[in-house]
Amino acid sequence: MEETKNSALQQNMKYILILIGVVALILSYFMGYSKYQTNISDINDEISALETRYNDLKSKESKREEYEKMKKEAEEKYETVLSKFDAGLSAERIIMDYHNIANQIGFSFTSLSLSEPNLFWAFGTENKDGMINSGDTIPNGMIASVRSYSIQVTGTYGNIKDFIKQIMSDKAKRRVPISMSFAFDPTLHTVSCNLNVMEYAVSSEDRTESVADIPIYNQGIDNIFFTGMGSAANTPQ
């Protein structure tokens, strides 16, 4: 009887082990299948994202010529606007500009007083407004600056009118008259004009300020100790 019980117990243990093996096999299958399903889901998400990107690029490619045309037009407008600003505000260049205008029109200017240039705007910086405040570190790149000055000129009414028209019509300079006053001399029949101007410039590494063509006057004599009149040595050099 005891042997029969042991035989039945061993038989049951055999079935139990087989059942445990089957359950383990089923669990491992489902675990692997779940992981496989997760990988498939991730791949499908990636495919969906790539399809969206592909459709976006395909749409842009179909409008490539239109975009290139828009880019070219924007660059031309940019160059047109930038060409209206000189690349610097040196005192020499400003003085010679007005000296040449005066010679061209045929009148004289009494005085020209300039303030120091002021840097006030940085293009392409992290600051949204680009404003340069006192104490800020000046960044590299394209910088806008302004310089104010006052001019006193004397001439005929026509001279003064031509003078104002000239400084306003120069397409390579951005000058803004802030105020002006006039006085008429009835004796000499001349007009005096006091003009306050602000001039703007945009500087960068690839831009060069217009040249200040300063005339050179040779002066002096070969021998400073010779004072004979009419001698070639006394001729200005």
Side-chain angles (χ1 to χ4, degrees):
M1 187 70 177
E2 186 68 28
E3 291 180 359
T4 303
K5 288 182 179 181
N6 289 335
S7 177
L9 181 60
Q10 290 177 359
Q11 189 71 20
N12 290 337
M13 287 296 296
K14 182 179 179 181
Y15 290 137
I16 290 172
L17 291 174
I18 293 173
L19 181 61
I20 291 173
V22 172
V23 171
L25 181 63
I26 293 172
L27 288 176
S28 63
Y29 169 78
F30 278 107
M31 290 176 65
Y33 178 77
S34 175
K35 183 177 180 181
Y36 176 73
Q37 286 293 104
T38 301
N39 290 338
I40 290 178
S41 177
D42 292 341
I43 292 172
N44 286 334
D45 291 342
E46 186 175 352
I47 291 173
S48 178
L50 290 174
E51 285 180 344
T52 301
R53 177 63 175 164
Y54 170 77
N55 292 331
D56 179 57
L57 292 174
K58 186 177 180 181
S59 174
K60 290 179 178 178
E61 177 62 26
S62 65
K63 299 179 180 179
R64 180 175 180 177
E65 291 185 1
E66 180 182 352
Y67 290 147
E68 289 180 347
K69 181 180 178 182
M70 293 172 60
K71 177 176 178 290
K72 183 178 179 181
E73 290 176 351
E75 289 175 346
E76 289 175 351
K77 290 180 180 178
Y78 167 81
E79 292 297 334
T80 299
V81 172
L82 191 60
S83 67
K84 296 179 180 179
F85 296 84
D86 207 331
L89 295 168
S90 67
E92 293 85 356
R93 195 269 300 162
I94 293 175
I95 291 171
M96 290 311 303
D97 278 352
Y98 286 103
H99 172 77
N100 294 331
I101 292 173
N103 287 342
Q104 178 182 348
I105 297 175
F107 73 102
S108 61
F109 60 88
T110 308
S111 67
L112 175 60
S113 302
L114 298 94
S115 67
E116 289 297 320
N118 178 36
L119 305 178
F120 71 95
W121 195 274
F123 296 89
T125 62
E126 295 180 356
N127 297 334
K128 291 182 179 180
D129 58 2
M131 188 69 69
I132 299 177
N133 299 310
S134 177
D136 288 351
T137 300
I138 304 302
N140 295 324
M142 191 170 288
I143 303 292
S145 57
V146 61
R147 190 167 195 169
S148 60
Y149 47 84
S150 62
I151 313 166
Q152 291 182 342
V153 295
T154 302
T156 65
Y157 173 75
N159 290 153
I160 302 302
K161 186 171 67 172
D162 291 341
F163 167 69
I164 296 174
K165 185 185 298 184
Q166 179 74 16
I167 66 174
M168 291 291 293
S169 63
D170 192 337
K171 295 181 180 180
K173 307 288 189 302
R174 181 55 66 181
R175 304 185 182 106
V176 181
I178 303 302
S179 65
M180 61 182 71
S181 59
F182 302 91
F184 178 69
D185 187 334
T187 305
L188 300 176
H189 298 284
T190 57
V191 176
S192 297
C193 174
N194 190 354
L195 184 65
N196 293 312
V197 180
M198 296 186 74
E199 184 171 337
Y200 295 86
V202 177
S203 59
S204 64
E205 291 183 356
D206 58 347
R207 303 194 75 223
T208 304
E209 183 177 4
S210 57
V211 178
D213 188 12
I214 302 175
I216 298 175
Y217 297 98
N218 294 324
Q219 297 179 350
I221 58 177
D222 290 337
N223 186 350
I224 63 173
F225 300 102
F226 184 78
T227 58
M229 299 300 295
S231 172
N234 201 33
T235 304
Q237 300 297 315

